[in-house]
């Protein structure tokens, strides 16, 4: 099987390349080679890179900036995935597309399942939901994997920012009124590989199971709890000015961000476990592995 990954340098794109390599040749394209902001050119670009599976790990991900760039966010997150899905269908490819917990409004206060009705609060969430709809509308063999609070330790993320603040700020304040599921991008890449490595007839098998699946680490945490755990797992604790026991609890409204975020967006990944026989570890376990540089 040949794989084509979009979003070469992103958190997930990078991990996908590593994780897919044992299954077959992997080619990855960055924004310069394949610009999702120019959807009309995508089929011509993709034709140059034949593959059996197309993985779209690229997205307009700046949740706050999207509020002032809604057209660009919509082109990258909604229009382009629709073009990718139509291309993949016509080329006989399987499309793996990723989406977000921010399609939900957070009012439910229990982990969201695929049966729960999306109601995004932000431009980012709305455009990602439109992207899901565009992929489904093409009716090709596809999986839409919705994940939550994705992080890596090699590209700027909440984890790297908390570590940096703990070393350089006299005080660190983190919201305790946002709850989600921190998910290490390596575990999401491993879940993807598990699905793709299940033998012959992939397209037919995934075609029958096409749709949206929640794929996140197990459990849930507030941003404050997550930040405390990050500092507890920090291998360079001696460099911290602010330690895990002295992070201040804050409320989201203090930060005056342009985009609203769901107060509770933990995802239940039970359907994915049942369909594909793979569970992601508890978020604390994944965080420990990520921080140890596994
Ligand atoms: N990060 C999260 O907390 C989170 C949570 C839930 C779901 N997700 C979803 O998970 C997926 C992977 O996210 P991630 O965290 O790995 O993202 P990321 O690290 O921000 O990487 C996004 C990638 O998309 C590329 N990109 C942005 N605009 C592009 C364009 N116009 N054309 C082509 N490429 C473009 C970026 O290129 P550059 O390297 O040039 O910037 C980058 O490589 C996305 O679908 C995202 O919506 C993320």
């Amino acid at each position: 099987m040949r794989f084509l990954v979009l979003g070469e340098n992103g958190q997930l794109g990078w991990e996908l390349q590593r994780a897919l390599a044992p299954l077959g040749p992997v080619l990855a394209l960055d924004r310069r080679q394949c610009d999702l902001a120019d959807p009309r050119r995508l089929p011509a670009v993709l034709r140059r890179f034949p593959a059996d599976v197309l993985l779209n790990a690229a997205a307009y991900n700046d949740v706050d900036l999207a509020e002032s760039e809604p057209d660009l966010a919509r082109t990258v997150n909604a229009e382009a995935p629709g073009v990718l899905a139509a291309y993949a269908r016509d080329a006989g490819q399987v499309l793996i597309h990723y989406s977000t917990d921010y399609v939900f409004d957070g009012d439910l206060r229990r982990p969201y399942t695929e049966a729960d009705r999306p109601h995004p609060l932000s431009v980012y969430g709305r455009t990602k939901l439109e992207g899901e709809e565009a992929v489904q509308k093409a009716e090709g063999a596809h999986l839409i994997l919705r994940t939550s609070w994705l992080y890596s330790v090699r590209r700027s993320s909440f984890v790297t920012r908390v570590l940096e603040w703990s070393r350089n700020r006299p005080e660190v304040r983190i919201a305790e009124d946002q709850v989600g599921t921190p998910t290490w991008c390596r575990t999401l890449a491993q879940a993807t590989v598990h699905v793709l490595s299940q033998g012959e007839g992939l397209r037919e098998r995934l075609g029958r199971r096409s749709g949206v699946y929640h794929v996140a680490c197990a459990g849930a945490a507030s941003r404050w709890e997550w930040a405390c755990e990050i500092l507890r797992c920090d291998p360079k604790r001696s460099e911290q000015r602010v330690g895990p026991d002295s992070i201040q609890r804050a409320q989201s409204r203090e930060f005056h961000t342009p985009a609203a975020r769901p107060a509770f967006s933990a995802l239940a990944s039970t359907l994915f476990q049942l369909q594909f026989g793979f569970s992601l570890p508890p978020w604390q376990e994944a965080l420990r592995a990520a921080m140890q540089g596994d």
Side-chain angles (χ1 to χ4, degrees), residues 10-12 31 34-36 58-59 61 99 124 128 150 155:
Q11 304 191 95
L12 178 63
R31 187 197 300 241
C34 181
D35 188 357
L36 299 196
N61 265 343
S99 191
Y124 169 73
K128 290 293 290 183
L150 203 59
R155 189 172 157 123

Side-chain angles (χ1 to χ4, degrees), residues 7-13 30-31 34-37 56-61 72 76 97-101 124 128 147-151 155 185 188:
E8 179 181 21
N9 301 310
Q11 304 191 95
L12 178 63
D30 66 13
R31 187 197 300 241
C34 181
D35 188 357
L36 299 196
N56 179 28
Y60 183 112
N61 265 343
L72 179 57
V76 173
H97 178 71
Y98 297 90
S99 191
T100 173
D101 53 331
Y124 169 73
K128 290 293 290 183
T147 193
S148 157
W149 291 12
L150 203 59
Y151 66 89
R155 189 172 157 123
C185 54
L188 179 57

Side-chain angles (χ1 to χ4, degrees), residues 42-289:
L42 290 175
V45 173
L46 296 174
R47 262 193 294 276
R48 290 169 34 218
F49 305 101
D52 302 294
V53 183
L54 174 62
L55 300 103
N56 179 28
Y60 183 112
N61 265 343
D62 191 322
V63 176
D64 287 320
L65 194 59
E67 296 296 313
S68 50
E69 293 187 337
D71 293 341
L72 179 57
R74 181 158 287 111
T75 304
V76 173
N77 288 344
E79 200 184 328
V83 173
L84 296 178
Y87 174 85
R89 178 200 60 212
D90 296 344
Q93 298 176 340
V94 169
L95 174 68
I96 310 289
H97 178 71
Y98 297 90
S99 191
T100 173
D101 53 331
Y102 281 16
V103 299
F104 295 115
D105 60 19
D107 287 348
L108 211 52
R109 303 291 163 158
R110 56 131 173 95
Y112 280 87
T113 72
E114 295 79 354
D116 291 319
R117 197 176 63 82
H119 180 229
L121 302 176
S122 62
V123 168
Y124 169 73
R126 259 194 305 283
T127 57
K128 290 293 290 183
L129 179 60
E130 289 166 12
E132 294 183 3
E133 291 162 355
V135 169
Q136 289 177 302
K137 203 168 147 208
E139 295 186 337
H142 69 271
L143 294 183
I144 298 167
L145 305 182
R146 265 189 207 145
T147 193
S148 157
W149 291 12
L150 203 59
Y151 66 89
S152 73
V153 289
R154 54 166 292 280
R155 189 172 157 123
S156 173
S157 69
F158 183 75
V159 172
T160 60
R161 285 194 295 278
V162 167
L163 290 172
E164 201 257 312
W165 295 334
S166 78
R167 284 154 175 61
N168 299 316
R169 293 187 177 185
E171 184 190 66
V172 177
R173 300 180 63 74
I174 305 286
E176 63 168 354
D177 57 352
Q178 284 174 40
V179 174
T181 310
T183 301
W184 186 20
C185 54
R186 186 167 301 174
T187 59
L188 179 57
Q190 287 162 345
T192 306
V193 166
H194 177 82
V195 169
L196 296 177
S197 60
Q198 291 184 342
E200 292 296 305
L202 179 74
R203 187 153 171 267
E204 289 64 36
R205 273 186 300 105
L206 288 193
R208 283 196 299 276
R209 293 191 259 180
S210 286
V212 175
Y213 294 90
H214 291 180
V215 189
C217 280
S222 71
R223 285 218 179 250
W224 178 84
E225 289 168 320
W226 185 17
C228 295
E229 194 64 20
I230 291 166
L231 295 193
R232 267 184 225 113
C233 296
D234 180 1
K236 296 184 184 158
R237 273 186 77 164
S238 60
E239 294 176 12
Q240 293 173 0
R241 286 176 72 187
V242 174
D245 303 322
S246 41
I247 301 181
Q248 303 293 311
R249 296 168 188 264
Q251 300 299 306
S252 302
R253 62 176 178 276
E254 292 176 32
F255 300 106
H256 303 292
T257 55
R261 279 134 171 101
F264 187 102
S265 61
L267 299 178
S269 305
T270 322
L271 183 63
F272 184 81
Q273 287 161 23
L274 289 172
Q275 282 285 348
F276 300 107
F278 189 91
S279 336
L280 273 62
W283 69 268
Q284 299 94 327
E285 196 180 299
L287 179 64
R288 259 193 310 279

